[in-house]
Amino acid sequence: MGGVSTAERAPKQDRSRATRQRLLEAAVACLAEHGWAGSTVAVVAERAGVSRGAAQHHFPTREDLFTAAVEYVAEERSNAIRALFPDGAAADRRAVVSALVDLFTGPLFRAALHLWVAASDEDQLRPRVTELEARVGRETHRIAVDLLAADESRPGTRETVQGLLDMARGLGLANLLTDDAARRERVVTQWAALLDEVLA
Amino acid sequence: MGGVSTAERAPKQDRSRATRQRLLEAAVACLAEHGWAGSTVAVVAERAGVSRGAAQHHFPTREDLFTAAVEYVAEERSNAIRALFPDGAAADRRAVVSALVDLFTGPLFRAALHLWVAASDEDQLRPRVTELEARVGRETHRIAVDLLAADESRPGTRETVQGLLDMARGLGLANLLTDDAARRERVVTQWAALLDEVLA
């Protein structure tokens, strides 16, 4: 009672944070590999090397765990893309378009896709994922506007950027079953050139 | 033996074709509503009002039924979009872009999405769906090129059209959890205007 010093509390908080992070990363990997049906708190706890009790302490429900996981990794990726262009509005629009499209490939997109599809069938999951998706979508839009130096006060610019992000999402879907990287590169090159004209 | 007249055979073939069609339509509806996990030959047979034996006569395996179903409905929709523009290359590019985007909303897209996501996890399903997806994708591209009067001999045109179809696919995905129709209309208007400049 009141006898725990700050020095003793800090490492405990660090451990707790590290456990949480391991669970979130394991949850995204699990969802990407096994889909929603194969992803339970127990499976993720084992993968993360955490007891089931500890996992449930951090995330009381399966929905809590997986929505938090997709949000966490989406934030990590948002930070990573901003870090790629530390000067903000970059001169090279092709590099920005390419980096935006990359947000929609890889394990995070696969995990998010599994979560979306599951949410479309499950009433319990749908409102959580809808809200998460709106939040992540807004942040991705903000990043795109900043890095492309798009002037949203000009009519049509907002929709141009939205369409670009829809295209990025569609390219992610096209990459689900086969490696679509070569075709994707060509589409990115062409549309980055078109955007350069439109946004100039 | 040999005593069946043409007149007697024809109605039997018609009945068989009608049964097959009912099964295919029920399969897409089932996949769209319940996902891959909830979609079996037995569930579809019941929905179509066909005996399980008759269903298995037409489609020996679950994979046969559902890939045939998505292909059948995709063909129906391809025919429908061509019928919308009987003169081929239409003057109104916005109407064409809108019709192309519509291919990726509604029950067929939901069904196909469930099939893709299931195929990404199941080795038995993946090659079938990959091949189907390539075939349907080629046909959709051909329709887009024709109706947009896009000259693919010009550098970049092929990728412009591909990017447009990727955008349409991404818009379909954005419509999965919420009704995205209002935003989609604005994006379609803007991108149709961009295409009008680019393809002119």
Side-chain angles (χ1 to χ4, degrees), chain A residues 33 110 113-114 116-117 120-121 129-130 156 159-160 162-164 166-167 169-171 173-174 177-178 183 186-187 190-191 194 198, chain B residues 33 110 113-114 116-117 120-121 129-130 156 159-160 162-163 166-167 169-171 173-174 176-178 183 186-187 190-191 194 198:
Chain A
E33 282 171 34
R110 285 180 63 90
L113 185 60
H114 278 295
W116 289 333
V117 170
S120 80
D121 295 328
V129 175
T130 303
E159 288 74 19
T160 299
Q162 286 183 341
L164 173 71
D166 288 310
M167 190 188 76
R169 197 184 299 115
L171 285 166
L173 199 50
L177 297 181
T178 51
R183 186 188 75 91
R186 292 193 296 269
V187 171
Q190 172 65 5
W191 276 95
L194 296 182
V198 173
Chain B
E33 282 171 32
R110 285 180 64 90
L113 185 60
H114 278 295
W116 290 333
V117 169
S120 81
D121 295 328
V129 176
T130 303
E159 288 74 20
T160 298
Q162 286 183 340
D166 287 310
M167 187 193 77
R169 198 184 298 116
L171 283 167
L173 199 50
L176 189 64
L177 297 181
T178 51
R183 186 189 73 93
R186 293 192 297 270
V187 171
Q190 173 65 6
W191 276 56
L194 296 184
V198 173

Short mmCIF file of all heavy atoms in Angstrom, two decimals, chain A residues 33 110 113-114 116-117 120-121 129-130 156 159-160 162-164 166-167 169-171 173-174 177-178 183 186-187 190-191 194 198, chain B residues 33 110 113-114 116-117 120-121 129-130 156 159-160 162-163 166-167 169-171 173-174 176-178 183 186-187 190-191 194 198:
data_model
loop_
_atom_site.label_atom_id
_atom_site.label_comp_id
_atom_site.label_asym_id
_atom_site.label_seq_id
_atom_site.Cartn_x
_atom_site.Cartn_y
_atom_site.Cartn_z
N GLU A 33 -2.51 -15.09 -41.41
CA GLU A 33 -2.21 -16.47 -41.83
C GLU A 33 -3.41 -17.39 -41.77
O GLU A 33 -3.58 -18.25 -42.63
CB GLU A 33 -1.10 -17.05 -40.95
CG GLU A 33 0.28 -16.57 -41.34
CD GLU A 33 1.32 -17.00 -40.32
OE1 GLU A 33 1.17 -18.10 -39.74
OE2 GLU A 33 2.27 -16.22 -40.08
N ARG A 110 -3.64 -8.10 -45.31
CA ARG A 110 -4.28 -9.42 -45.25
C ARG A 110 -5.09 -9.56 -43.96
O ARG A 110 -6.21 -10.07 -43.96
CB ARG A 110 -3.24 -10.54 -45.32
CG ARG A 110 -2.65 -10.75 -46.71
CD ARG A 110 -1.62 -11.87 -46.66
NE ARG A 110 -2.23 -13.13 -46.29
CZ ARG A 110 -2.72 -13.99 -47.17
NH1 ARG A 110 -2.66 -13.73 -48.46
NH2 ARG A 110 -3.26 -15.11 -46.77
N LEU A 113 -8.14 -7.34 -44.08
CA LEU A 113 -9.13 -7.89 -45.02
C LEU A 113 -9.92 -9.03 -44.36
O LEU A 113 -11.15 -9.10 -44.48
CB LEU A 113 -8.40 -8.39 -46.27
CG LEU A 113 -9.29 -8.89 -47.40
CD1 LEU A 113 -10.22 -7.79 -47.91
CD2 LEU A 113 -8.42 -9.40 -48.57
N HIS A 114 -9.22 -9.90 -43.67
CA HIS A 114 -9.91 -10.98 -42.95
C HIS A 114 -10.89 -10.40 -41.92
O HIS A 114 -12.00 -10.90 -41.75
CB HIS A 114 -8.90 -11.89 -42.25
CG HIS A 114 -8.29 -12.91 -43.15
ND1 HIS A 114 -9.03 -13.92 -43.72
CD2 HIS A 114 -7.03 -13.10 -43.58
CE1 HIS A 114 -8.24 -14.68 -44.47
NE2 HIS A 114 -7.02 -14.21 -44.40
N TRP A 116 -12.34 -7.38 -42.00
CA TRP A 116 -13.47 -6.75 -42.70
C TRP A 116 -14.49 -7.79 -43.13
O TRP A 116 -15.68 -7.61 -42.95
CB TRP A 116 -13.01 -6.01 -43.96
CG TRP A 116 -12.23 -4.76 -43.72
CD1 TRP A 116 -12.31 -3.95 -42.63
CD2 TRP A 116 -11.26 -4.18 -44.59
NE1 TRP A 116 -11.44 -2.90 -42.78
CE2 TRP A 116 -10.78 -3.01 -43.97
CE3 TRP A 116 -10.74 -4.53 -45.83
CZ2 TRP A 116 -9.81 -2.20 -44.55
CZ3 TRP A 116 -9.78 -3.72 -46.41
CH2 TRP A 116 -9.33 -2.57 -45.78
N VAL A 117 -13.98 -8.86 -43.76
CA VAL A 117 -14.89 -9.87 -44.30
C VAL A 117 -15.65 -10.55 -43.16
O VAL A 117 -16.86 -10.77 -43.25
CB VAL A 117 -14.11 -10.88 -45.18
CG1 VAL A 117 -14.98 -12.07 -45.54
CG2 VAL A 117 -13.63 -10.19 -46.46
N SER A 120 -18.34 -8.27 -41.91
CA SER A 120 -19.50 -8.15 -42.79
C SER A 120 -20.52 -9.25 -42.51
O SER A 120 -21.68 -9.13 -42.87
CB SER A 120 -19.07 -8.15 -44.26
OG SER A 120 -18.83 -9.46 -44.72
N ASP A 121 -20.08 -10.33 -41.87
CA ASP A 121 -20.99 -11.44 -41.55
C ASP A 121 -21.41 -11.47 -40.08
O ASP A 121 -22.36 -12.15 -39.74
CB ASP A 121 -20.31 -12.79 -41.86
CG ASP A 121 -20.03 -12.96 -43.33
OD1 ASP A 121 -20.83 -12.44 -44.13
OD2 ASP A 121 -19.03 -13.60 -43.68
N VAL A 129 -15.41 -2.73 -36.23
CA VAL A 129 -14.52 -2.67 -37.38
C VAL A 129 -14.86 -1.48 -38.27
O VAL A 129 -13.97 -0.84 -38.84
CB VAL A 129 -14.56 -4.01 -38.17
CG1 VAL A 129 -13.73 -3.93 -39.43
CG2 VAL A 129 -14.06 -5.14 -37.28
N THR A 130 -16.15 -1.16 -38.36
CA THR A 130 -16.57 0.00 -39.15
C THR A 130 -15.95 1.28 -38.58
O THR A 130 -15.41 2.12 -39.32
CB THR A 130 -18.11 0.12 -39.14
OG1 THR A 130 -18.66 -1.09 -39.64
CG2 THR A 130 -18.59 1.27 -40.00
N GLY A 156 -12.44 18.91 -56.62
CA GLY A 156 -12.05 17.64 -57.22
C GLY A 156 -10.82 17.01 -56.60
O GLY A 156 -10.61 15.80 -56.73
N GLU A 159 -11.48 14.20 -54.09
CA GLU A 159 -11.94 12.98 -54.73
C GLU A 159 -10.82 12.30 -55.52
O GLU A 159 -10.79 11.08 -55.64
CB GLU A 159 -13.13 13.27 -55.66
CG GLU A 159 -14.43 13.61 -54.93
CD GLU A 159 -14.44 15.01 -54.31
OE1 GLU A 159 -13.61 15.85 -54.73
OE2 GLU A 159 -15.26 15.27 -53.41
N THR A 160 -9.90 13.10 -56.04
CA THR A 160 -8.75 12.52 -56.74
C THR A 160 -7.93 11.68 -55.77
O THR A 160 -7.55 10.54 -56.06
CB THR A 160 -7.86 13.63 -57.35
OG1 THR A 160 -8.63 14.37 -58.28
CG2 THR A 160 -6.65 13.05 -58.03
N GLN A 162 -8.96 10.47 -52.85
CA GLN A 162 -9.76 9.32 -52.41
C GLN A 162 -9.70 8.19 -53.44
O GLN A 162 -9.50 7.03 -53.09
CB GLN A 162 -11.22 9.74 -52.19
CG GLN A 162 -11.41 10.56 -50.91
CD GLN A 162 -12.88 10.90 -50.67
OE1 GLN A 162 -13.70 10.84 -51.57
NE2 GLN A 162 -13.19 11.26 -49.43
N GLY A 163 -9.87 8.55 -54.72
CA GLY A 163 -9.81 7.55 -55.78
C GLY A 163 -8.46 6.84 -55.81
O GLY A 163 -8.39 5.62 -56.02
N LEU A 164 -7.40 7.61 -55.57
CA LEU A 164 -6.06 7.01 -55.52
C LEU A 164 -5.98 5.96 -54.40
O LEU A 164 -5.43 4.87 -54.59
CB LEU A 164 -5.01 8.10 -55.30
CG LEU A 164 -3.59 7.59 -55.06
CD1 LEU A 164 -3.01 7.01 -56.34
CD2 LEU A 164 -2.69 8.71 -54.54
N ASP A 166 -8.52 4.37 -53.08
CA ASP A 166 -9.35 3.23 -53.49
C ASP A 166 -8.57 2.33 -54.44
O ASP A 166 -8.64 1.11 -54.35
CB ASP A 166 -10.64 3.73 -54.16
CG ASP A 166 -11.61 4.33 -53.16
OD1 ASP A 166 -11.89 3.68 -52.13
OD2 ASP A 166 -12.09 5.45 -53.38
N MET A 167 -7.83 2.94 -55.36
CA MET A 167 -7.00 2.16 -56.27
C MET A 167 -5.96 1.36 -55.51
O MET A 167 -5.73 0.17 -55.79
CB MET A 167 -6.32 3.08 -57.27
CG MET A 167 -5.64 2.34 -58.41
SD MET A 167 -4.64 3.47 -59.44
CE MET A 167 -3.22 3.72 -58.37
N ARG A 169 -6.21 0.26 -52.50
CA ARG A 169 -6.91 -0.84 -51.83
C ARG A 169 -7.21 -1.98 -52.81
O ARG A 169 -7.04 -3.15 -52.50
CB ARG A 169 -8.20 -0.32 -51.19
CG ARG A 169 -8.77 -1.23 -50.14
CD ARG A 169 -10.10 -0.73 -49.60
NE ARG A 169 -10.01 0.55 -48.95
CZ ARG A 169 -10.59 1.68 -49.37
NH1 ARG A 169 -11.35 1.67 -50.44
NH2 ARG A 169 -10.44 2.80 -48.71
N GLY A 170 -7.64 -1.58 -54.02
CA GLY A 170 -7.92 -2.57 -55.06
C GLY A 170 -6.66 -3.32 -55.48
O GLY A 170 -6.70 -4.52 -55.75
N LEU A 171 -5.53 -2.61 -55.53
CA LEU A 171 -4.26 -3.26 -55.86
C LEU A 171 -3.87 -4.26 -54.76
O LEU A 171 -3.32 -5.31 -55.04
CB LEU A 171 -3.16 -2.22 -56.04
CG LEU A 171 -3.20 -1.42 -57.35
CD1 LEU A 171 -2.28 -0.20 -57.28
CD2 LEU A 171 -2.80 -2.30 -58.54
N LEU A 173 -5.98 -5.98 -52.99
CA LEU A 173 -6.85 -7.14 -53.19
C LEU A 173 -6.35 -8.00 -54.35
O LEU A 173 -6.38 -9.23 -54.29
CB LEU A 173 -8.27 -6.63 -53.45
CG LEU A 173 -9.44 -7.58 -53.25
CD1 LEU A 173 -9.37 -8.28 -51.92
CD2 LEU A 173 -10.74 -6.80 -53.38
N ALA A 174 -5.87 -7.33 -55.40
CA ALA A 174 -5.37 -8.06 -56.57
C ALA A 174 -4.12 -8.87 -56.22
O ALA A 174 -3.76 -9.81 -56.93
CB ALA A 174 -5.05 -7.08 -57.70
N LEU A 177 -3.99 -13.35 -54.05
CA LEU A 177 -3.80 -14.76 -54.45
C LEU A 177 -2.50 -14.99 -55.23
O LEU A 177 -1.97 -16.09 -55.23
CB LEU A 177 -4.99 -15.23 -55.29
CG LEU A 177 -6.33 -15.24 -54.58
CD1 LEU A 177 -7.41 -15.76 -55.52
CD2 LEU A 177 -6.27 -16.10 -53.33
N THR A 178 -2.05 -13.96 -55.92
CA THR A 178 -0.82 -14.12 -56.70
C THR A 178 0.07 -12.91 -56.45
O THR A 178 -0.40 -11.88 -55.98
CB THR A 178 -1.14 -14.16 -58.22
OG1 THR A 178 -1.97 -13.04 -58.54
CG2 THR A 178 -1.85 -15.44 -58.59
N ARG A 183 2.93 -6.00 -62.31
CA ARG A 183 1.83 -5.21 -62.87
C ARG A 183 1.59 -3.97 -62.02
O ARG A 183 1.40 -2.87 -62.53
CB ARG A 183 0.55 -6.05 -62.93
CG ARG A 183 -0.61 -5.34 -63.62
CD ARG A 183 -1.92 -6.12 -63.48
NE ARG A 183 -2.51 -6.00 -62.16
CZ ARG A 183 -3.39 -5.06 -61.80
NH1 ARG A 183 -3.80 -4.18 -62.67
NH2 ARG A 183 -3.87 -5.02 -60.57
N ARG A 186 3.79 -1.02 -62.75
CA ARG A 186 3.46 -0.28 -63.98
C ARG A 186 2.26 0.63 -63.77
O ARG A 186 2.24 1.76 -64.25
CB ARG A 186 3.20 -1.27 -65.12
CG ARG A 186 4.44 -2.03 -65.56
CD ARG A 186 4.23 -2.76 -66.89
NE ARG A 186 3.20 -3.81 -66.79
CZ ARG A 186 3.43 -5.08 -66.48
NH1 ARG A 186 4.67 -5.48 -66.21
NH2 ARG A 186 2.44 -5.94 -66.42
N VAL A 187 1.26 0.12 -63.01
CA VAL A 187 0.08 0.94 -62.73
C VAL A 187 0.47 2.15 -61.88
O VAL A 187 0.02 3.27 -62.12
CB VAL A 187 -1.03 0.10 -62.04
CG1 VAL A 187 -2.17 0.98 -61.56
CG2 VAL A 187 -1.56 -0.96 -63.00
N GLN A 190 2.25 4.81 -64.00
CA GLN A 190 1.33 5.53 -64.87
C GLN A 190 0.47 6.51 -64.07
O GLN A 190 0.34 7.68 -64.43
CB GLN A 190 0.45 4.52 -65.63
CG GLN A 190 -0.68 5.13 -66.44
CD GLN A 190 -0.18 6.01 -67.60
OE1 GLN A 190 1.01 6.10 -67.85
NE2 GLN A 190 -1.12 6.66 -68.26
N TRP A 191 -0.10 6.04 -62.95
CA TRP A 191 -1.00 6.91 -62.21
C TRP A 191 -0.26 8.00 -61.45
O TRP A 191 -0.80 9.08 -61.24
CB TRP A 191 -1.94 6.09 -61.31
CG TRP A 191 -3.11 5.64 -62.12
CD1 TRP A 191 -3.26 4.44 -62.75
CD2 TRP A 191 -4.28 6.41 -62.46
NE1 TRP A 191 -4.44 4.41 -63.45
CE2 TRP A 191 -5.09 5.60 -63.29
CE3 TRP A 191 -4.71 7.69 -62.16
CZ2 TRP A 191 -6.31 6.05 -63.81
CZ3 TRP A 191 -5.94 8.13 -62.67
CH2 TRP A 191 -6.71 7.31 -63.49
N LEU A 194 0.04 10.65 -64.02
CA LEU A 194 -1.24 11.35 -64.20
C LEU A 194 -1.51 12.30 -63.04
O LEU A 194 -1.93 13.44 -63.23
CB LEU A 194 -2.40 10.34 -64.31
CG LEU A 194 -2.37 9.39 -65.52
CD1 LEU A 194 -3.59 8.48 -65.52
CD2 LEU A 194 -2.32 10.18 -66.82
N VAL A 198 -2.38 16.32 -62.70
CA VAL A 198 -3.66 16.77 -62.13
C VAL A 198 -3.45 17.66 -60.90
O VAL A 198 -4.16 18.65 -60.71
CB VAL A 198 -4.51 15.54 -61.74
CG1 VAL A 198 -5.75 15.97 -60.99
CG2 VAL A 198 -4.88 14.75 -62.98
N GLU B 33 -24.02 -14.13 -48.44
CA GLU B 33 -24.65 -13.94 -47.13
C GLU B 33 -23.91 -14.62 -45.98
O GLU B 33 -23.84 -14.09 -44.88
CB GLU B 33 -26.09 -14.48 -47.16
CG GLU B 33 -27.06 -13.55 -47.84
CD GLU B 33 -28.42 -14.21 -48.05
OE1 GLU B 33 -28.81 -15.04 -47.21
OE2 GLU B 33 -29.06 -13.91 -49.07
N ARG B 110 -19.48 -9.45 -53.26
CA ARG B 110 -19.38 -10.01 -51.90
C ARG B 110 -19.06 -11.50 -51.96
O ARG B 110 -18.23 -12.00 -51.21
CB ARG B 110 -20.69 -9.82 -51.14
CG ARG B 110 -20.96 -8.41 -50.66
CD ARG B 110 -22.29 -8.36 -49.92
NE ARG B 110 -22.27 -9.17 -48.73
CZ ARG B 110 -21.89 -8.71 -47.54
NH1 ARG B 110 -21.54 -7.47 -47.39
NH2 ARG B 110 -21.88 -9.51 -46.49
N LEU B 113 -15.50 -11.98 -53.15
CA LEU B 113 -14.57 -11.60 -52.09
C LEU B 113 -14.42 -12.73 -51.06
O LEU B 113 -13.31 -13.08 -50.64
CB LEU B 113 -15.06 -10.32 -51.42
CG LEU B 113 -14.15 -9.70 -50.37
CD1 LEU B 113 -12.80 -9.34 -50.96
CD2 LEU B 113 -14.79 -8.45 -49.77
N HIS B 114 -15.55 -13.30 -50.67
CA HIS B 114 -15.50 -14.44 -49.75
C HIS B 114 -14.69 -15.60 -50.34
O HIS B 114 -13.91 -16.25 -49.65
CB HIS B 114 -16.91 -14.91 -49.42
CG HIS B 114 -17.59 -14.11 -48.35
ND1 HIS B 114 -17.12 -14.07 -47.05
CD2 HIS B 114 -18.68 -13.32 -48.37
CE1 HIS B 114 -17.91 -13.29 -46.33
NE2 HIS B 114 -18.86 -12.82 -47.11
N TRP B 116 -12.29 -15.37 -52.68
CA TRP B 116 -10.87 -15.00 -52.72
C TRP B 116 -10.21 -15.19 -51.36
O TRP B 116 -9.11 -15.72 -51.27
CB TRP B 116 -10.70 -13.52 -53.12
CG TRP B 116 -11.01 -13.19 -54.53
CD1 TRP B 116 -10.93 -14.03 -55.61
CD2 TRP B 116 -11.46 -11.93 -55.04
NE1 TRP B 116 -11.31 -13.36 -56.74
CE2 TRP B 116 -11.64 -12.08 -56.44
CE3 TRP B 116 -11.72 -10.69 -54.46
CZ2 TRP B 116 -12.06 -11.03 -57.25
CZ3 TRP B 116 -12.14 -9.66 -55.27
CH2 TRP B 116 -12.31 -9.81 -56.64
N VAL B 117 -10.89 -14.67 -50.34
CA VAL B 117 -10.28 -14.72 -49.00
C VAL B 117 -10.14 -16.18 -48.55
O VAL B 117 -9.11 -16.58 -48.01
CB VAL B 117 -11.10 -13.87 -48.01
CG1 VAL B 117 -10.66 -14.11 -46.58
CG2 VAL B 117 -10.95 -12.39 -48.35
N SER B 120 -7.26 -17.76 -50.32
CA SER B 120 -5.94 -17.35 -49.85
C SER B 120 -5.48 -18.20 -48.67
O SER B 120 -4.30 -18.28 -48.36
CB SER B 120 -5.94 -15.86 -49.48
OG SER B 120 -6.49 -15.66 -48.19
N ASP B 121 -6.42 -18.88 -48.01
CA ASP B 121 -6.08 -19.73 -46.87
C ASP B 121 -6.11 -21.22 -47.20
O ASP B 121 -5.59 -22.03 -46.44
CB ASP B 121 -7.09 -19.50 -45.72
CG ASP B 121 -7.00 -18.11 -45.14
OD1 ASP B 121 -5.89 -17.55 -45.15
OD2 ASP B 121 -8.04 -17.58 -44.71
N VAL B 129 -9.44 -20.67 -57.96
CA VAL B 129 -9.91 -19.30 -57.87
C VAL B 129 -8.94 -18.35 -58.59
O VAL B 129 -9.36 -17.37 -59.21
CB VAL B 129 -10.13 -18.89 -56.40
CG1 VAL B 129 -10.53 -17.43 -56.28
CG2 VAL B 129 -11.22 -19.78 -55.78
N THR B 130 -7.66 -18.65 -58.51
CA THR B 130 -6.66 -17.83 -59.20
C THR B 130 -6.92 -17.83 -60.70
O THR B 130 -6.91 -16.79 -61.37
CB THR B 130 -5.24 -18.37 -58.91
OG1 THR B 130 -5.04 -18.38 -57.50
CG2 THR B 130 -4.17 -17.50 -59.56
N GLY B 156 0.93 3.66 -71.90
CA GLY B 156 0.30 4.06 -70.65
C GLY B 156 -1.20 3.80 -70.60
O GLY B 156 -1.77 3.72 -69.52
N GLU B 159 -2.26 0.67 -68.66
CA GLU B 159 -2.11 0.83 -67.22
C GLU B 159 -3.15 1.81 -66.65
O GLU B 159 -3.57 1.67 -65.50
CB GLU B 159 -0.70 1.31 -66.87
CG GLU B 159 0.39 0.26 -67.05
CD GLU B 159 0.73 -0.01 -68.53
OE1 GLU B 159 0.42 0.85 -69.39
OE2 GLU B 159 1.31 -1.08 -68.80
N THR B 160 -3.54 2.78 -67.46
CA THR B 160 -4.59 3.71 -67.02
C THR B 160 -5.89 2.93 -66.78
O THR B 160 -6.55 3.10 -65.74
CB THR B 160 -4.84 4.80 -68.09
OG1 THR B 160 -3.63 5.54 -68.25
CG2 THR B 160 -5.94 5.73 -67.67
N GLN B 162 -6.18 -0.35 -66.31
CA GLN B 162 -5.98 -1.28 -65.19
C GLN B 162 -6.17 -0.57 -63.85
O GLN B 162 -6.84 -1.07 -62.96
CB GLN B 162 -4.59 -1.91 -65.25
CG GLN B 162 -4.45 -2.96 -66.35
CD GLN B 162 -3.09 -3.62 -66.35
OE1 GLN B 162 -2.13 -3.10 -65.81
NE2 GLN B 162 -3.01 -4.79 -66.98
N GLY B 163 -5.56 0.62 -63.73
CA GLY B 163 -5.68 1.39 -62.49
C GLY B 163 -7.13 1.73 -62.19
O GLY B 163 -7.58 1.68 -61.04
N ASP B 166 -8.67 -1.32 -60.80
CA ASP B 166 -8.21 -1.49 -59.42
C ASP B 166 -8.98 -0.56 -58.49
O ASP B 166 -9.38 -0.96 -57.40
CB ASP B 166 -6.70 -1.22 -59.31
CG ASP B 166 -5.88 -2.35 -59.94
OD1 ASP B 166 -6.13 -3.51 -59.61
OD2 ASP B 166 -4.99 -2.06 -60.76
N MET B 167 -9.20 0.66 -58.95
CA MET B 167 -10.00 1.61 -58.16
C MET B 167 -11.41 1.08 -57.95
O MET B 167 -11.96 1.14 -56.85
CB MET B 167 -10.04 2.97 -58.84
CG MET B 167 -10.71 4.03 -57.99
SD MET B 167 -11.10 5.53 -58.95
CE MET B 167 -12.55 4.98 -59.85
N ARG B 169 -12.36 -1.99 -57.87
CA ARG B 169 -12.28 -3.08 -56.90
C ARG B 169 -12.14 -2.54 -55.47
O ARG B 169 -12.79 -3.02 -54.54
CB ARG B 169 -11.10 -3.99 -57.25
CG ARG B 169 -11.17 -5.36 -56.60
CD ARG B 169 -9.93 -6.18 -56.89
NE ARG B 169 -9.73 -6.45 -58.29
CZ ARG B 169 -8.69 -6.01 -59.01
NH1 ARG B 169 -7.74 -5.29 -58.45
NH2 ARG B 169 -8.60 -6.31 -60.28
N GLY B 170 -11.32 -1.50 -55.33
CA GLY B 170 -11.15 -0.87 -54.02
C GLY B 170 -12.43 -0.22 -53.53
O GLY B 170 -12.74 -0.26 -52.33
N LEU B 171 -13.18 0.38 -54.45
CA LEU B 171 -14.47 0.99 -54.08
C LEU B 171 -15.44 -0.10 -53.64
O LEU B 171 -16.25 0.11 -52.73
CB LEU B 171 -15.04 1.77 -55.27
CG LEU B 171 -14.40 3.13 -55.54
CD1 LEU B 171 -14.83 3.67 -56.91
CD2 LEU B 171 -14.76 4.14 -54.45
N LEU B 173 -14.62 -2.83 -52.10
CA LEU B 173 -14.20 -3.21 -50.76
C LEU B 173 -14.64 -2.17 -49.72
O LEU B 173 -15.07 -2.51 -48.62
CB LEU B 173 -12.68 -3.37 -50.76
CG LEU B 173 -12.01 -4.16 -49.66
CD1 LEU B 173 -12.66 -5.51 -49.46
CD2 LEU B 173 -10.52 -4.33 -49.97
N ALA B 174 -14.57 -0.89 -50.12
CA ALA B 174 -14.97 0.19 -49.21
C ALA B 174 -16.46 0.14 -48.91
O ALA B 174 -16.93 0.69 -47.92
CB ALA B 174 -14.61 1.54 -49.82
N LEU B 176 -18.13 -2.60 -48.34
CA LEU B 176 -18.45 -3.89 -47.70
C LEU B 176 -19.19 -3.71 -46.38
O LEU B 176 -20.15 -4.42 -46.09
CB LEU B 176 -17.15 -4.67 -47.48
CG LEU B 176 -17.27 -6.12 -47.01
CD1 LEU B 176 -17.96 -6.97 -48.06
CD2 LEU B 176 -15.90 -6.69 -46.70
N LEU B 177 -18.73 -2.76 -45.56
CA LEU B 177 -19.29 -2.63 -44.21
C LEU B 177 -20.32 -1.53 -44.09
O LEU B 177 -21.20 -1.58 -43.23
CB LEU B 177 -18.17 -2.38 -43.20
CG LEU B 177 -17.15 -3.50 -43.06
CD1 LEU B 177 -16.11 -3.15 -42.02
CD2 LEU B 177 -17.83 -4.81 -42.69
N THR B 178 -20.20 -0.52 -44.92
CA THR B 178 -21.15 0.59 -44.85
C THR B 178 -21.61 0.94 -46.26
O THR B 178 -20.95 0.58 -47.24
CB THR B 178 -20.49 1.85 -44.24
OG1 THR B 178 -19.27 2.09 -44.96
CG2 THR B 178 -20.19 1.67 -42.78
N ARG B 183 -20.20 8.80 -51.42
CA ARG B 183 -18.79 9.10 -51.67
C ARG B 183 -18.37 8.51 -53.01
O ARG B 183 -17.67 9.16 -53.80
CB ARG B 183 -17.92 8.51 -50.55
CG ARG B 183 -16.44 8.91 -50.64
CD ARG B 183 -15.58 8.14 -49.65
NE ARG B 183 -15.38 6.75 -50.03
CZ ARG B 183 -14.33 6.30 -50.75
NH1 ARG B 183 -13.40 7.14 -51.16
NH2 ARG B 183 -14.23 5.03 -51.07
N ARG B 186 -19.11 10.60 -56.02
CA ARG B 186 -18.21 11.75 -56.20
C ARG B 186 -16.87 11.33 -56.79
O ARG B 186 -16.30 11.99 -57.65
CB ARG B 186 -18.02 12.49 -54.87
CG ARG B 186 -19.29 13.18 -54.36
CD ARG B 186 -19.01 14.13 -53.20
NE ARG B 186 -18.49 13.45 -52.02
CZ ARG B 186 -19.24 12.96 -51.03
NH1 ARG B 186 -20.56 13.08 -51.08
NH2 ARG B 186 -18.68 12.36 -50.00
N VAL B 187 -16.35 10.19 -56.30
CA VAL B 187 -15.07 9.69 -56.81
C VAL B 187 -15.22 9.30 -58.28
O VAL B 187 -14.35 9.61 -59.12
CB VAL B 187 -14.57 8.49 -55.97
CG1 VAL B 187 -13.36 7.82 -56.62
CG2 VAL B 187 -14.21 8.94 -54.55
N GLN B 190 -15.26 12.43 -60.51
CA GLN B 190 -13.94 13.04 -60.64
C GLN B 190 -13.02 12.19 -61.54
O GLN B 190 -12.37 12.70 -62.44
CB GLN B 190 -13.33 13.23 -59.25
CG GLN B 190 -11.88 13.69 -59.22
CD GLN B 190 -11.71 15.09 -59.81
OE1 GLN B 190 -12.68 15.77 -60.14
NE2 GLN B 190 -10.46 15.50 -59.95
N TRP B 191 -13.01 10.88 -61.30
CA TRP B 191 -12.09 10.04 -62.07
C TRP B 191 -12.56 9.89 -63.52
O TRP B 191 -11.74 9.71 -64.42
CB TRP B 191 -11.89 8.69 -61.36
CG TRP B 191 -10.83 8.81 -60.30
CD1 TRP B 191 -10.82 9.69 -59.26
CD2 TRP B 191 -9.60 8.08 -60.22
NE1 TRP B 191 -9.67 9.52 -58.52
CE2 TRP B 191 -8.91 8.54 -59.10
CE3 TRP B 191 -9.04 7.07 -61.00
CZ2 TRP B 191 -7.68 8.02 -58.71
CZ3 TRP B 191 -7.81 6.54 -60.61
CH2 TRP B 191 -7.14 7.03 -59.47
N LEU B 194 -11.13 12.86 -65.16
CA LEU B 194 -9.69 12.68 -65.40
C LEU B 194 -9.46 11.79 -66.61
O LEU B 194 -8.63 12.07 -67.48
CB LEU B 194 -9.00 12.07 -64.17
CG LEU B 194 -8.99 12.88 -62.87
CD1 LEU B 194 -8.19 12.15 -61.79
CD2 LEU B 194 -8.39 14.25 -63.10
N VAL B 198 -7.37 12.17 -70.15
CA VAL B 198 -6.23 11.29 -70.41
C VAL B 198 -6.44 10.47 -71.68
O VAL B 198 -5.51 10.28 -72.47
CB VAL B 198 -6.01 10.33 -69.21
CG1 VAL B 198 -4.95 9.29 -69.53
CG2 VAL B 198 -5.62 11.13 -67.98
#
